[in-house]
Amino acid sequence: MARKPAFLLLLFIISLVSVVMSAEYRLGEKVRFWKYENGFQVIFLPREGAPFFSAVIFVNVGAVDESVGETGIAHLLEHMAFKGTPWIGTRDWNSERKILVELEEVAQELRTAAIAAADDESSAALESRFLELQKQAQRFVIPNEYDRLVTLAGGQEVNATTSNDYTNYFMTLPANKLELWAMLESQRLQYPTWREFYKERDVVAEERRMRMEDSPDGRLYEEFIATAFKAHPYRTPVIGWMSDIKNLTVTDMAAFYKRWYVPENMVAVIVGNVGEAEVRRITNDYFGTLPYRPSPPRVATQEPEQRAQRRVQLVMDAQPQLLLGWHKPPLPSRDAIAFEVLQYILTDNGRSSRLYSDLVKRRGLCESVATFTAPGEKYTNLFCIWATPRAPHTPAEVEEAIWQELKALARDGITSDELEMTTAKVEAALVSETEANLGCARRLGYFYLITGDPAFLDKYREEIRRVTSADIMRITSSYLRPERATVATIEKKTVSEGARGRKRARKQDDAPIAVGSMFSGERAQGR
Amino acid sequence: MKKRLASCFLQLLVHVVMLAFLLSVAAAENSRTVSSPQAEHDFGKLFPPALDPASSKSVERGGLRLPVRPEQLPSYPFRFVVRTVEIEELPNKARLISYNAPQVMGFYAIVLVEAGKVCDPPEKLGLAEVVAHAMRSGGAGTYSADQLDRELDRLGATLSVEVQRDYVRFDLFCLPDKAPAALRLLHSILSAPRFEPASVEREKALLIERLVRVEDDPAELSRQEFRKVIYGTTHPLARTPLPTDVARLKRQDVLDFYRRFYLPSATRMGVAAAETTQAVQLEKELLSAWSTQGGKAIIERGSVPSDLSPASKGVYLLPKNIEQVYIRIGHVGRPRNPADQPVVDVLNNIFGTGGLTSRLMQKVRTEHGLAYAVGGGIFEDVPAGVFATVGSTKANSAADAVAIMKEAIEGLLGTPPTSEELETAKRDAVFAFANKFSSPRETLMQYLSADLYGYPPDYISSYIAKVEAVTAQDVQAAARRYVHPEKVAVFVLGPPEVERSLTKRWGQVAKWKLSTSKSALTKNHKQ
């Protein structure tokens, strides 16, 4: 008993050290945030170091905001933002515009003809006119001029990504190019020309073939998500379904753009060696003056509670994989924070994390195992475990081992050692991720879009420290239940199946087998 | 009679009226399908308005007139100076690099050991990978495998191992206050690995699993097999282990390999932090205490295939049931030579590494919409690297894509770079280089690899000036020196049915056999 005060004092010193140390990394309190009258928001973090800055424009629209029949449109719009404006990428906008208008008219007629299954002759005439107009329009195009201008200005890491939740455009530039960045970005946000739209649509179709059709991982993930979500638009792939991609037109795109690309939906995040006064002046001139348009309502559909386990199995010419997921709430809820800790406990604490230690090291069942949140963070999402079995072990064996681990967690909770390790790992991971300006800008903007707090980075650390073993037991036992699970697997096609498969159409051969139906009628799988 | 006449007249009138009505409807229909003013008006709304003389030079927003082109913005001076580092050689020949940068938040240590895949004995392929990973996972010094993992994870440190052809890279990251403890663990791994038998066996099994799974990744599979096409399947720069090779490896092989290659004289270490004095002092002590016997091992890298491997010329198809075709076109590249690296970097940028502005992107993606990812360049190695043009497209575009890519290769010799291409490529090369020094890891890697490959001491500090001095004639001369369109091999990975279109366009197509059996290693080049 006499040792207790000394122990408590030691504990106090340890926690004090931990608080003092982490103060060095509290970037959130250095963050500046402001909003213009039109709703456009700016997050700015000044930094010393090399004379560069990174900037990200987040547009608060993603695949989740798409309608049926136009999946992939948010992503294709992101591609189109690199095609220029009336002042960039054209030799003569007024002449080019006339042809683009006519081209779109013919595109609409082609679509109508396709739906009506019009006769070949009239379709061929339209197709020929369409190609001719594309050629004519191309004469005015200065290909990739946007990219060239950014490159000439010293731009690096120039790219954009689209997720379910948002679209973001980013680059790193020399510190003396802040105004150039603002001019180019504000211009393409307000004046998209839809130049080379139909060719870019083909490029995205190729992207889909590469990322999804030819990738066992891509196909597994797509089937998994589509199985896990019944009602919520998280169920559709960000890149879109192939038939939707092929049917998108400029008319669809312009309507989507007009609805979602409004200043209120936009956040610029700037991190680097530039001054605040300059950032305020330039963002005010270029973004604060964008015309106001009201922001549309968000997705109201809620994913109904899952009451029966869902399973999907792909039998294909690929090595086995296993993907499990359970619905969980989004950040910044307390449970979502507890899931962040659970992720570290299971896999992200390194080689000593539970699943790695057990499945990869001790039992040799897996080649790798990872946990993550998908397919977005704004709405109810999934806590996922992705495991790659090691031959001769099967997805079923790995799944069984995962269930055992989760059962133990729900029953016994975690140790103080594991919590301490997690705190250290989270701290280090955040420093590593935010060391570079671009990584930092993307993390700040992402957290802001999800939580509405521009300084959430610091709060995140604090919240992580508050998670207890009881929280982990609670979320494991209440969310990670067999009847709430979605399980997707790739099973390798055997030789005899392969021989039979050659006689069938390959599409059918590789089609997923929806064994989820065996649990229909909300019959939970017992375990 | 009159009645009949009247009736006929009435009927005629009705028909005429109906005909007139039908004609007018048809005309109206027709006018809609051509280009009615109404339709143009509607579709015109999808696009930004036509520009008038005022709006062609600037845009008015919020009472401001904003510029629309980069040339209209004021030009500010920009100067970038590459930070220098301290390089020291210790008595045992280990080399130590330190990089101090006040703004760096974390602590970084990178170790390069000349013990990469090229060091594999021909009869023991895969050994370098097993050794490197077993060093990390098999315990070290006084720590068992599990204790070592736990100690690193408790520090919040990450220590990854990457096995390249020329070297093994150990990459340590932690918060600065954890650096001394983490460095001691890293040194235990380097100088006193325990290679616990269970870890060695596990690393063998994991490598076998990774080798098998390469077949699920068409891009990686095509990269791997293309190297075999141009170098020959058993060349040290192309060979890959078979699962059976790895299965045969013994723990004694691992110990022998470690003793032979893991020497202080083959080791370079770099540390980066806001303040490195203490870490460097500790590092010197640790590195100096590492003593081993025996000189640096001689590494067999093979010879340059004679006449750029004439056996490889032609078209090869590796059939696989996938959606896209993965195309690689090229031949053996250039020897490592720092003197012409700046001009080759500019050439590569123009040809295929310069993103959207490169010729390959411009042609294959922007102009023809055939691919999402396409690129290429001349890469260095000892005795010779690879010249490769890489892209993927849908199966029925395979022959067209090959034609366009081959045309781009020929264009490197026939079409000198325009002043615009040259200027853009030079700017990109300069800023890509400068941007690397924003990252502590990249900064260390720049200096470590320059040191590893014996580049002159001023290579890094003079690089930017050398790129800026590159002329169109230099680029042309480098292209003539290193690119030989008549000697290229075309390698296609894709569905078997593309054979017909490839044969029709390019003549005989040789079937490439995947090296899953020993016999394939010799059969491929006999075709």
Side-chain angles (χ1 to χ4, degrees):
Chain A
M1 283 299 284
R3 284 186 186 170
K4 206 172 178 184
F7 170 75
L8 287 175
L9 181 65
L10 185 65
L11 202 66
F12 174 71
I13 293 169
I14 290 169
S15 56
L16 191 71
V17 168
S18 146
V19 170
V20 171
M21 269 171 34
S22 63
E24 288 177 39
Y25 310 115
R26 290 180 66 88
L27 293 177
E29 61 193 26
K30 297 174 191 161
V31 164
R32 307 281 177 271
F33 172 80
W34 61 90
K35 188 174 184 174
Y36 293 109
E37 273 182 24
N38 60 3
F40 191 95
Q41 299 132 87
V42 180
I43 295 173
F44 171 55
L45 177 67
R47 266 184 164 178
E48 291 179 355
F52 292 93
F53 71 96
S54 296
V56 189
I57 300 270
F58 280 88
V59 185
N60 197 0
V61 60
V64 80
D65 302 302
E66 296 166 344
S67 307
V68 173
E70 59 171 36
T71 61
I73 198 167
H75 171 245
L76 181 53
L77 173 47
E78 170 233 296
H79 276 236
M80 294 311 299
F82 290 83
K83 294 294 183 184
T85 66
W87 300 275
I88 291 167
T90 182
R91 295 174 212 286
D92 174 0
W93 168 242
N94 291 358
S95 304
E96 184 189 7
R97 184 181 178 281
K98 279 182 197 157
I99 299 168
L100 290 176
V101 169
E102 194 180 343
L103 181 68
E104 183 51 19
E105 196 180 335
V106 176
Q108 288 300 325
E109 285 171 26
L110 264 173
R111 183 148 85 167
T112 309
I115 293 167
D119 64 87
D120 287 350
E121 206 175 309
S122 61
S123 290
L126 277 172
E127 186 69 41
S128 154
R129 179 71 185 142
F130 181 77
L131 293 174
E132 173 54 30
L133 285 167
Q134 267 194 315
K135 265 189 207 157
Q136 285 181 24
Q138 199 63 38
R139 290 209 309 268
F140 296 101
V141 177
I142 304 173
N144 299 317
E145 192 186 20
Y146 174 89
D147 211 68
R148 190 174 64 79
L149 293 176
V150 174
T151 304
L152 286 172
Q156 292 296 315
E157 302 171 302
V158 185
N159 214 328
T161 64
T162 306
S163 74
N164 270 294
D165 294 334
Y166 60 83
T167 310
N168 70 140
Y169 302 89
F170 50 86
M171 65 182 81
T172 295
L173 279 163
N176 63 350
K177 296 295 178 186
L178 185 67
E179 184 167 3
L180 177 102
W181 164 78
M183 184 193 80
L184 292 175
E185 293 300 68
S186 66
Q187 206 178 105
R188 69 172 171 171
L189 288 174
Q190 201 190 348
Y191 304 104
T193 55
W194 318 127
R195 175 176 296 139
E196 296 179 309
F197 175 88
Y198 292 98
K199 260 190 274 181
E200 199 61 23
R201 197 178 65 172
D202 292 343
V203 169
V204 171
E206 290 302 331
E207 187 180 356
R208 186 186 154 81
R209 286 188 187 98
M210 189 181 82
R211 287 193 199 279
M212 311 307 280
E213 264 82 346
D214 281 349
S215 160
D217 288 4
R219 291 176 61 175
L220 179 70
Y221 180 77
E222 198 166 87
E223 294 298 338
F224 168 73
I225 294 295
T227 308
F229 288 91
K230 277 183 171 177
H232 194 273
Y234 268 166
R235 71 194 311 277
T236 56
V238 172
I239 198 158
W241 300 115
M242 188 61 100
S243 60
D244 285 355
I245 296 169
K246 286 180 172 175
N247 275 317
L248 290 173
T249 64
V250 165
T251 304
D252 305 324
M253 182 63 73
F256 186 84
Y257 160 81
K258 196 175 174 191
R259 183 170 163 83
W260 292 104
Y261 274 55
V262 300
E264 212 163 35
N265 266 350
M266 295 174 187
V267 189
V269 191
I270 301 153
V271 176
N273 200 344
V274 282
E276 183 175 341
E278 191 190 10
V279 172
R280 283 189 182 269
R281 177 182 65 78
I282 286 172
T283 55
N284 176 65
D285 289 358
Y286 286 91
F287 299 109
T289 54
L290 291 171
Y292 172 81
R293 290 205 308 272
S295 181
R298 292 282 159 191
V299 172
T301 306
Q302 290 187 2
E303 184 64 20
E305 191 184 341
Q306 185 174 336
R307 294 173 194 277
Q309 192 173 97
R310 298 172 194 163
R311 302 183 78 88
V312 61
Q313 185 187 55
L314 279 85
V315 179
M316 58 191 290
D317 185 17
Q319 296 302 313
Q321 300 272 9
L322 168 69
L323 182 51
L324 294 109
W326 299 263
H327 292 282
K328 71 171 181 67
L331 284 172
S333 73
R334 187 171 169 75
D335 282 358
I337 293 282
F339 270 107
E340 298 278 306
V341 172
L342 180 62
Q343 190 171 319
Y344 278 85
I345 301 291
L346 290 176
T347 57
D348 291 7
N349 270 342
R351 297 173 59 90
S352 12
S353 57
R354 287 196 177 205
L355 287 180
Y356 190 90
S357 184
D358 189 38
L359 272 57
V360 181
K361 280 167 60 179
R362 196 170 67 79
R363 298 165 69 175
L365 295 174
C366 285
E367 188 265 324
S368 65
V369 58
T371 55
F372 56 96
T373 287
E377 274 282 11
K378 256 191 213 167
Y379 306 96
T380 295
N381 48 47
L382 297 170
F383 179 76
C384 303
I385 302 178
W386 192 319
T388 305
R390 203 184 93 187
H393 301 293
T394 62
E397 285 173 80
V398 177
E399 188 189 341
E400 179 57 33
I402 289 172
W403 283 116
Q404 283 171 13
E405 197 60 61
L406 296 179
K407 210 170 161 186
L409 260 181
R411 186 185 59 227
D412 307 328
I414 55 172
T415 64
S416 55
D417 256 16
E418 284 177 300
L419 271 179
E420 208 175 293
M421 200 184 275
T422 300
T423 310
K425 282 277 183 185
V426 169
E427 196 71 44
L430 287 176
V431 168
S432 174
E433 189 184 343
T434 56
E435 185 87 78
N437 289 338
L438 184 58
C440 186
R442 295 187 74 188
R443 171 53 71 179
L444 288 172
Y446 172 76
F447 268 162
Y448 174 63
L449 281 195
I450 301 303
T451 68
D453 180 358
F456 186 73
L457 196 60
D458 292 346
K459 199 173 172 190
Y460 177 80
R461 281 191 175 90
E462 289 158 16
E463 293 292 324
I464 291 280
R465 287 202 189 91
R466 288 203 186 97
V467 174
T468 62
S469 175
D471 290 327
I472 299 299
M473 289 165 78
R474 176 172 48 77
I475 59 164
T476 310
S477 58
S478 57
Y479 292 96
L480 307 188
R481 300 173 66 81
E483 71 272 19
R484 294 175 60 111
T486 300
V487 185
T489 56
I490 291 179
E491 306 285 347
K492 190 166 174 59
K493 191 162 55 182
T494 60
V495 176
S496 57
E497 280 171 320
R500 279 202 306 276
R502 277 195 289 277
K503 291 176 186 163
R504 292 182 285 169
R506 192 155 52 81
K507 283 279 185 196
Q508 288 171 348
D509 194 28
D510 290 347
I513 300 167
V515 291
S517 54
M518 74 174 70
F519 299 107
S520 61
E522 307 293 279
R523 186 172 71 83
Q525 187 191 29
R527 216 167 251 283
Chain B
M1 185 70 184
K2 273 184 184 174
K3 245 181 156 180
R4 279 183 64 193
L5 273 173
S7 168
C8 283
F9 180 73
L10 202 63
Q11 277 184 26
L12 189 64
L13 192 65
V14 168
H15 281 118
V16 167
V17 168
M18 276 178 69
L19 187 66
F21 173 74
L22 287 172
L23 282 172
S24 71
V25 168
E29 276 301 314
N30 201 31
S31 72
R32 270 204 291 278
T33 55
V34 183
S35 180
S36 74
Q38 180 62 39
E40 183 174 335
H41 175 72
D42 288 339
F43 288 113
K45 280 184 180 171
L46 306 175
F47 300 88
L51 303 178
D52 57 29
S55 61
S56 64
K57 298 277 189 295
S58 63
V59 60
E60 188 175 349
R61 259 197 337 245
L64 296 170
R65 285 218 79 84
L66 298 170
V68 288
R69 295 279 310 175
E71 310 83 74
Q72 297 167 328
L73 295 174
S75 174
Y76 304 103
F78 177 79
R79 193 161 167 266
F80 176 77
V81 181
V82 176
R83 291 180 72 107
T84 53
V85 301
E86 308 273 324
I87 304 181
E88 192 175 345
E89 184 169 298
L90 304 179
N92 63 3
K93 304 284 186 197
R95 290 172 73 80
L96 179 59
I97 289 172
S98 62
Y99 171 60
N100 283 283
Q103 76 281 2
V104 173
M105 296 189 291
F107 176 83
Y108 301 82
I110 296 178
V111 180
L112 299 189
V113 186
E114 293 169 66
K117 292 175 194 171
V118 78
C119 301
D120 277 345
E123 70 288 1
K124 288 175 182 161
L125 299 184
L127 190 51
E129 279 196 79
V130 172
V131 171
H133 291 291
M135 284 174 76
R136 168 67 185 86
S137 69
T142 57
Y143 296 102
S144 70
D146 283 344
Q147 285 170 337
L148 183 66
D149 289 343
R150 203 170 306 123
E151 284 304 307
L152 276 164
D153 291 335
R154 281 161 67 99
L155 295 171
T158 50
L159 174 56
S160 60
V161 180
E162 187 184 302
V163 186
Q164 296 290 344
R165 205 164 16 257
D166 294 337
Y167 56 79
V168 174
R169 170 178 167 170
F170 296 86
D171 194 322
L172 172 72
F173 172 77
C174 62
L175 296 183
D177 61 307
K178 305 288 195 298
L183 276 177
R184 286 179 196 283
L185 293 171
L186 172 59
H187 270 275
S188 284
I189 289 169
L190 277 179
S191 59
R194 285 165 59 156
F195 293 115
E196 289 179 4
S199 295
V200 172
E201 287 308 307
R202 185 169 58 242
E203 293 305 339
K204 282 167 57 183
L206 291 173
L207 176 55
I208 289 171
E209 190 66 44
R210 290 197 294 273
L211 291 171
V212 170
R213 285 178 183 272
V214 167
E215 286 186 42
D216 290 350
D217 180 349
E220 178 56 24
L221 183 62
S222 72
R223 193 193 68 80
Q224 175 186 295
E225 296 303 304
F226 176 67
R227 291 185 74 86
K228 290 176 185 166
V229 169
I230 62 166
Y231 284 111
T233 46
T234 55
H235 195 281
L237 301 187
R239 65 196 179 191
T240 49
L242 298 171
T244 45
D245 295 328
V246 180
R248 275 198 301 271
L249 298 175
K250 307 250 181 325
R251 182 166 180 268
Q252 191 57 47
D253 297 326
V254 168
L255 296 174
D256 292 345
F257 185 97
Y258 170 77
R259 284 194 201 106
R260 186 168 174 219
F261 291 103
Y262 283 80
L263 306 168
S265 56
T267 301
R268 284 163 185 82
M269 179 168 202
V271 291
E275 170 51 56
T276 60
T277 313
Q278 275 186 313
V280 167
Q281 191 52 41
L282 175 63
E283 196 46 56
K284 277 186 194 170
E285 286 169 26
L286 294 168
L287 269 177
S288 301
W290 183 16
S291 61
T292 51
Q293 292 178 343
K296 211 164 151 181
I298 295 166
I299 299 166
E300 175 51 54
R301 304 184 65 92
S303 55
V304 182
S306 58
D307 193 24
L308 303 177
S309 187
S312 72
K313 279 186 290 185
V315 182
Y316 294 80
L317 171 67
L318 173 57
K320 186 172 172 64
N321 278 324
I322 46 180
E323 291 282 323
Q324 281 195 314
V325 288
Y326 293 75
I327 302 164
R328 283 181 181 253
I329 305 175
H331 51 61
V332 169
R334 57 185 272 268
R336 180 163 286 123
N337 175 12
D340 66 7
Q341 191 63 51
V343 66
V344 172
D345 285 346
V346 173
L347 185 156
N348 284 347
N349 201 294
I350 292 168
F351 180 60
T353 61
L356 287 173
T357 53
S358 71
R359 286 184 182 181
L360 279 171
M361 270 284 191
Q362 202 92 273
K363 277 277 165 198
V364 183
R365 176 170 161 162
T366 309
E367 206 173 296
H368 295 275
L370 285 183
Y372 170 70
V374 59
I378 308 161
F379 305 104
E380 58 170 4
D381 209 330
V382 174
V386 169
F387 164 63
T389 309
V390 183
S392 63
T393 187
K394 58 187 174 295
N396 61 13
S397 301
D400 287 343
V402 169
I404 296 165
M405 288 160 80
K406 286 184 88 165
E407 215 172 88
I409 294 172
E410 280 153 17
L412 264 180
L413 301 182
T415 316
T418 63
S419 57
E420 192 177 84
E421 279 182 322
L422 187 65
E423 183 60 16
T424 310
K426 283 162 69 172
R427 293 287 281 184
D428 201 23
V430 163
F431 280 96
F433 182 77
N435 192 44
K436 286 177 182 161
F437 295 88
S438 302
S439 148
R441 266 199 191 95
E442 276 293 328
T443 304
L444 287 179
M445 274 310 289
Q446 287 299 306
Y447 281 102
L448 285 168
S449 53
D451 195 54
L452 174 77
Y453 294 129
Y455 282 13
D458 69 340
Y459 175 76
I460 287 176
S461 59
S462 64
Y463 179 86
I464 288 178
K466 284 179 179 162
V467 167
E468 282 169 345
V470 169
T471 64
Q473 289 73 30
D474 296 334
V475 172
Q476 278 287 87
R480 277 196 293 271
R481 199 155 56 244
Y482 297 124
V483 178
H484 309 283
E486 75 286 2
K487 293 179 176 172
V488 295
V490 176
F491 180 80
V492 178
L493 167 67
E497 57 265 27
V498 299
E499 185 178 357
R500 192 181 298 166
S501 64
L502 290 174
T503 308
K504 198 173 166 192
R505 189 79 159 262
W506 306 109
Q508 195 191 347
V509 173
K511 288 261 181 66
W512 183 259
K513 284 190 88 172
L514 194 57
S515 324
T516 48
S517 68
K518 277 283 180 195
S519 57
L521 295 178
T522 48
K523 270 183 186 167
N524 277 321
H525 277 288
K526 286 181 182 164
Q527 291 180 52

